[in-house]
Amino acid sequence: MPMPLKKGFNVHVEYIEKPSTYVMRAIDIYEDFYGIGFIVSGDRQTITPEKISFIHAGNVTPMTIGVYHRTYALSDAPYKRYGMKFTPKIANRCMEQIGEKNFHHVMSHLCYELSPACQKKVQQMFDDMLYEYEHYDSNSEFADEFLELSLFFKAFQALYSELLCIFPCFCPYGQFTRESFSECI
């Protein structure tokens, strides 16, 4: 069972290091949140009831709510990854920006291979988000929501922008979407 989000939070950011032999002990499911990961090191196989995916360093790995999954090691490289979990409240905000169909399309894939340039940007963004998340101490509800949305849009914007570059027909409003996301960051 994955660790739940902190009480009162809509986003959780983490960095995890495991030995190369790490295997999830049991099938898992995100019941109350979505997730986006960035693999720093290691090679994994992710299995869901509908798909099998092979994941490598530099890949982004979305996981939608309610999908059973399990990962296995495929190499001797240590398993290192960033992860961000977010609630449906945050997902709904994203859907307002890019559309429900586009959001679900992005989240429906187990793995995205990013360009080397985008990998560097995504890793830096996750570094920055992790620092922000770990050093945040405000009690303001508005500030909490702003931080959470900011963290989420930083991760999702990088993934979405890369998809727009790879698949220009992905969103007919691509330029508008990029500008919208840039304003949110």
Side-chain angles (χ1 to χ4, degrees):
M1 185 103 189
M3 293 293 296
L5 275 64
K6 290 182 196 174
K7 186 174 181 171
F9 277 72
N10 290 302
V11 172
H12 173 81
V13 181
E14 63 189 1
Y15 178 75
I16 295 173
E17 289 188 27
K18 302 276 186 184
S20 62
T21 56
Y22 171 73
V23 175
M24 290 174 65
R25 290 179 279 177
I27 293 173
D28 212 342
I29 185 170
Y30 288 178
E31 293 180 328
D32 302 325
F33 48 83
Y34 297 84
I36 296 178
F38 177 72
I39 309 302
V40 176
S41 172
D43 300 286
R44 314 290 298 168
Q45 179 180 20
T46 299
I47 299 173
T48 72
E50 297 177 0
K51 302 175 190 173
I52 296 175
S53 184
F54 300 95
I55 299 168
H56 309 285
N59 291 171
V60 170
T61 59
M63 185 58 64
T64 196
I65 198 167
V67 174
Y68 287 95
H69 62 281
R70 189 171 183 185
T71 68
Y72 298 89
L74 292 176
S75 72
D76 292 335
Y79 177 46
K80 299 177 184 178
R81 73 164 178 87
Y82 290 93
M84 183 175 66
K85 301 172 189 172
F86 55 96
T87 63
K89 176 181 178 181
I90 300 297
N92 288 337
R93 290 282 181 90
C94 184
M95 288 181 228
E96 290 170 8
Q97 293 291 317
I98 68 168
E100 186 175 348
K101 183 179 176 182
N102 289 333
F103 175 82
H104 288 297
H105 179 75
V106 169
M107 295 302 295
S108 70
H109 300 283
L110 292 177
C111 177
Y112 289 101
E113 294 183 26
L114 304 181
S115 67
C118 192
Q119 289 175 27
K120 289 178 185 177
K121 290 178 189 174
V122 170
Q123 184 165 356
Q124 185 60 55
M125 277 192 269
F126 268 102
D127 275 338
D128 294 345
M129 288 188 303
L130 182 63
Y131 181 85
E132 266 184 81
Y133 182 79
E134 290 178 339
H135 293 86
Y136 185 73
D137 62 358
S138 175
N139 293 320
S140 163
E141 184 178 326
F142 173 78
D144 286 345
E145 188 167 309
F146 179 77
L147 171 74
E148 292 169 346
L149 288 169
S150 171
L151 293 175
F152 174 75
F153 280 116
K154 282 179 184 176
F156 204 84
Q157 186 265 346
L159 175 59
Y160 194 73
S161 291
E162 185 74 3
L163 290 175
L164 289 172
C165 293
I166 296 168
F167 308 110
C169 61
F170 179 68
C171 175
Y173 309 103
Q175 189 60 39
F176 172 77
T177 304
R178 281 196 196 111
E179 291 169 10
S180 298
F181 277 120
S182 296
E183 292 170 10
C184 293
I185 296 175

